[in-house]
């Protein structure tokens, strides 16, 4: 159901029907700038994780505090994404993009220079704040810059590949920087990337405000920010406490109530909704949002627990662990290009996205065959390639469909919704898989000698394979849900829906 821009006049609409919108001559350079900015945001989800032990030893904080280095970023990023997307729509994507880059780089520099735990947590939270402004601005720039169907597919194949593979690249880069330099460079590296992205954005982008008649929905912003904060915080507490803790179920209930109130406000009371209902009503778009959510949850079964297995059982260094994920990254990038430019235009999302989930399910199920004495070449490498093929079909296609056909004045908030789904999915997946893995290890040790190193090792592997089975279950559910929800046929993009931004 393509959306019409509220700002288009009748003569402009008549012209759009007869004359295809002119493509920006700088569009491929813009793609490079947007890709750099997206890489910076996505890297931060995992690049710091590998450096945490080194940072902990340097700054002398406890194991319990260590979780807050990750959680502070996730809380700020997830809760402010919709606000960041709407700011880009209301005040222009160029200033939102540039302010997001500068703020993210400054927060990264602050974190790299941290002299204590508190300073590092504040820096990570500020990274999340500016990332919530930068990420939707970057994605919406793609949506409004590329209007030709084939070129748009190619652009989203690049963006989706970065979104899907960025976590693995973060592991590699984090390992290299930590081993060769210092943990602080996992944060300082963002400054280097930001300089190039800012220069390109300043030179190539021009400001355009599409939502000129809309106003910021303050009550909606407060409700959704508080709701998303509560959900992510509740799932984070499930990792560090347990599901019976009031800090877990209390915040999860509060989040559900706040998000329900936000939904009511958007549909019944808001004069200028933060998340217009027209964005969610399209079946293909709704299915794509769910696909991003499920992918985010299931991917942690690969990145988190496989990282543990490679380092603790196979003895890989941080750098070697990152290199071990590269075959998956390569498969994902190849299939991202093939899926969005060849398969999706010919077969449609009802075939491509469920197929990708099915392939990822098979890869995850295959990965459960790891053991204490397994080798990387036979028990990990081919499985990673299969998983990469599956996710390469899902992620870029889902991101393209989730933002396709959206009116230009809604491009920022639609893009923010994609990022929010990925972030919430990751938080849900981390909490659930950690809990299930811990329970599996405890169950395995029941009635056995816990002092035996072999028994302990096998219990740990049992926890990993349990997480892999559940990740396979997530992907299988994604295959079923997207097959049911996606419409048949190939979606057609209305050239009026996202008019080109002339740079």
């Amino acid at each position: 159901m393509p959306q019409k821009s509220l700002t288009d006049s009748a003569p402009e609409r008549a012209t759009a029907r007869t004359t295809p919108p002119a493509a920006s001559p700088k569009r491929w350079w813009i793609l490079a700038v947007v890709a750099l900015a997206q890489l910076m945001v996505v890297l931060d989800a995992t690049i710091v994780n590998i450096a945490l032990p080194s940072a902990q030893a340097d700054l002398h904080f406890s194991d319990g505090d260590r979780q807050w280095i990750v959680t502070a970023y996730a809380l700020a990023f997830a809760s402010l994404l919709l606000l960041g997307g709407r700011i880009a729509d209301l005040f222009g994507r160029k200033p939102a993009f540039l302010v997001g880059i500068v703020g993210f780089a400054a927060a990264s520099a602050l974190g790299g220079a941290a002299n204590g735990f508190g300073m590092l947590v504040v820096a990570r939270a500020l990274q999340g704040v500016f990332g919530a402004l930068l990420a939707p601005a970057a994605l919406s720039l793609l949506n409004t810059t590329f209007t030709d169907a084939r070129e748009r597919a190619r652009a989203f194949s690049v963006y989706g590949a970065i979104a899907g593979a960025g976590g693995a690249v973060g592991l590699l880069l984090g390992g290299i920087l930590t081993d060769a330099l210092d943990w602080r460079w996992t944060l300082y590296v963002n400054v280097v990337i930001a300089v190039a992205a800012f220069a390109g954005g300043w030179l190539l982008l021009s400001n355009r405000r599409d939502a000129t008649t809309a106003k910021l929905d303050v009550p909606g912003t407060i409700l959704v920010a508080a709701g998303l904060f509560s959900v992510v915080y509740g799932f984070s507490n499930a990792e560090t406490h347990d599901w019976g803790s009031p800090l877990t179920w209390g915040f999860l209930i509060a989040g559900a109530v706040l998000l329900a109130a936000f939904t009511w406000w958007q549909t019944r009371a808001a004069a200028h909704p933060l998340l217009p209902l027209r964005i969610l009503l399209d079946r293909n778009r709704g299915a794509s949002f769910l696909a991003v959510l499920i992918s985010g949850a299931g991917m942690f079964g690969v990145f988190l627990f496989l990282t543990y297995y490679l380092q603790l059982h196979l003895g890989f260094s941080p750098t070697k662990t990152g290199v071990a994920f590269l075959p998956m990254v390569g498969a994902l990038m190849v299939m991202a290009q093939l899926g969005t430019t060849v398969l999706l235009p010919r077969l449609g999302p009802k075939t491509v996205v469920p197929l990708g989930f099915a392939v990822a399910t098979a890869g995850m199920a295959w990965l459960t065959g790891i053991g204490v004495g397994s080798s990387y070449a036979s028990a990990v490498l081919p499985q990673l390639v299969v998983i990469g093929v599956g996710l390469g079909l899902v992620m870029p296609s889902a991101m393209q469909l989730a933002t396709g056909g959206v009116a230009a004045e809604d491009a920022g908030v639609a893009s923010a919704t994609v990022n929010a789904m990925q972030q919430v999915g990751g938080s849900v997946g981390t909490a659930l898989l950690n809990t299930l893995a811990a329970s599996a290890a405890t169950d395995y040790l029941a009635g056995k000698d816990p002092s035996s190193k072999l028994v302990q090792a096998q219990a740990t592997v049992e926890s990993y394979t349990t997480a892999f089975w559940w990740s396979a279950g997530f992907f299988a559910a994604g295959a079923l849900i997207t097959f049911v929800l996606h419409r048949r046929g190939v979606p057609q993009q209305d050239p009026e829906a996202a008019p080109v931004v002339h740079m």
Side-chain angles (χ1 to χ4, degrees):
M1 188 171 69
Q3 305 293 332
K4 307 300 182 186
S5 171
L6 298 177
T7 58
D8 287 344
S9 65
E12 288 171 338
R13 288 196 297 271
T15 302
R17 293 189 187 97
T18 57
T19 306
S24 167
K26 304 174 184 176
R27 59 194 180 280
W28 298 111
W29 288 105
I30 293 171
L31 171 60
V33 170
V34 168
L36 267 181
Q38 172 66 5
L39 180 64
M40 185 169 63
V41 174
V42 175
L43 282 179
D44 234 62
T46 55
I47 191 173
V48 175
N49 293 13
I50 277 189
L52 278 179
S54 299
Q56 185 177 2
D58 189 14
L59 301 181
H60 309 292
F61 53 85
S62 67
D63 289 344
D65 289 338
R66 186 171 60 187
Q67 177 63 29
W68 281 103
I69 307 302
V70 178
T71 302
Y73 177 83
L75 286 173
F77 186 68
S79 58
L80 297 176
L81 270 167
L82 287 181
L83 173 61
R86 206 53 176 164
I87 287 174
D89 290 334
L90 292 171
F91 301 104
R93 295 182 185 91
K94 179 175 181 176
F97 184 82
L98 296 179
V99 170
I101 287 176
V102 171
F104 198 93
S108 299
L110 179 67
N115 56 13
F117 171 73
M119 185 174 174
L120 182 56
V121 169
V122 169
R124 290 287 287 163
L126 288 173
Q127 279 186 308
V129 170
F130 288 104
L133 181 62
L134 175 59
L139 181 53
S140 61
L141 279 168
L142 280 195
N143 193 40
T144 54
T145 299
F146 290 89
T147 55
D148 176 78
R150 290 187 178 182
E151 290 188 347
R152 189 172 187 273
R154 195 172 299 124
F156 270 87
S157 73
V158 174
Y159 186 92
I162 291 173
V169 175
L171 292 174
L172 171 61
L173 189 57
I176 292 173
L177 292 173
T178 302
D179 286 342
L181 297 171
D182 183 73
W183 69 267
R184 297 178 184 276
W185 276 95
T186 61
L187 292 161
Y188 286 145
V189 69
N190 289 325
V191 179
V192 179
I193 299 174
V195 169
F198 182 87
W202 182 270
L203 294 173
L204 297 172
L205 302 177
S206 63
N207 196 29
R208 178 187 176 110
R209 295 174 55 199
D210 291 299
T212 53
T213 60
K215 297 179 180 179
L216 183 63
D217 175 17
V218 176
T221 299
I222 295 172
L223 286 171
V224 75
L228 289 172
F229 179 95
S230 298
V231 168
V232 174
Y233 187 71
F235 279 112
S236 297
N237 274 306
E239 296 177 63
T240 54
H241 297 77
D242 57 66
W243 291 97
S245 168
L247 288 176
T248 299
W249 58 260
F251 272 95
L252 291 177
I253 292 174
V257 171
L258 287 166
L259 291 178
F262 170 73
T263 302
W264 173 84
W265 176 259
Q266 297 300 286
T267 55
R268 300 298 178 91
H272 300 279
L274 180 69
L275 181 59
L277 192 61
R278 58 184 175 268
I279 292 177
L280 302 177
L281 285 180
D282 182 81
R283 279 179 56 185
N284 278 344
R285 193 173 298 123
S288 299
F289 286 144
L290 289 175
V292 173
L293 177 78
I294 294 168
S295 299
M299 282 171 64
F300 275 84
V302 185
F303 294 139
L304 183 63
F305 294 96
L306 192 54
T307 298
Y308 293 158
Y309 177 73
L310 293 174
Q311 292 193 16
L312 299 180
H313 291 268
L314 300 189
F316 284 22
S317 68
T319 300
K320 191 174 179 181
T321 299
V323 172
F325 281 98
L326 288 183
M328 188 189 83
V329 173
L332 195 153
M333 296 184 73
V334 170
M335 292 311 298
Q337 181 72 17
L338 181 64
T340 54
T341 61
V342 179
L343 298 179
L344 191 64
R346 296 182 182 181
L347 303 177
K350 198 175 186 70
T351 299
V352 174
V353 178
L355 175 62
F357 270 127
V359 173
T361 301
M364 287 303 302
W366 192 8
L367 193 57
T368 62
I370 61 170
V372 175
S374 298
S375 70
Y376 170 78
S378 61
V380 178
L381 175 58
Q383 293 85 336
L384 279 180
V385 172
V386 173
I387 294 168
V389 168
L391 293 177
L393 289 174
V394 173
M395 289 293 289
S397 299
M399 288 186 166
Q400 179 180 337
L401 291 163
T403 55
V406 177
E409 67 267 24
D410 297 328
V413 74
S415 303
T417 305
V418 173
N419 285 282
M421 289 293 179
Q422 189 174 24
Q423 184 65 40
V424 171
S427 299
V428 172
T430 303
L432 286 177
L433 293 175
N434 266 320
T435 302
L436 293 165
S439 298
T442 302
D443 292 343
Y444 181 85
L445 288 172
K448 298 181 178 67
D449 180 12
S451 63
S452 169
K453 290 185 178 180
L454 181 60
V455 170
Q456 289 179 351
Q458 188 58 50
T460 307
V461 171
E462 189 72 18
S463 71
Y464 301 158
T465 56
T466 298
F468 295 157
W469 274 120
W470 278 94
S471 291
F474 292 160
F475 291 148
L480 178 61
I481 291 170
T482 54
F483 180 77
V484 171
L485 291 183
H486 274 305
R487 289 196 296 264
R488 294 183 182 277
V490 178
Q492 299 296 319
Q493 182 182 349
D494 184 348
E496 296 176 51
V500 68
V501 179
H502 297 285
M503 301 298 175

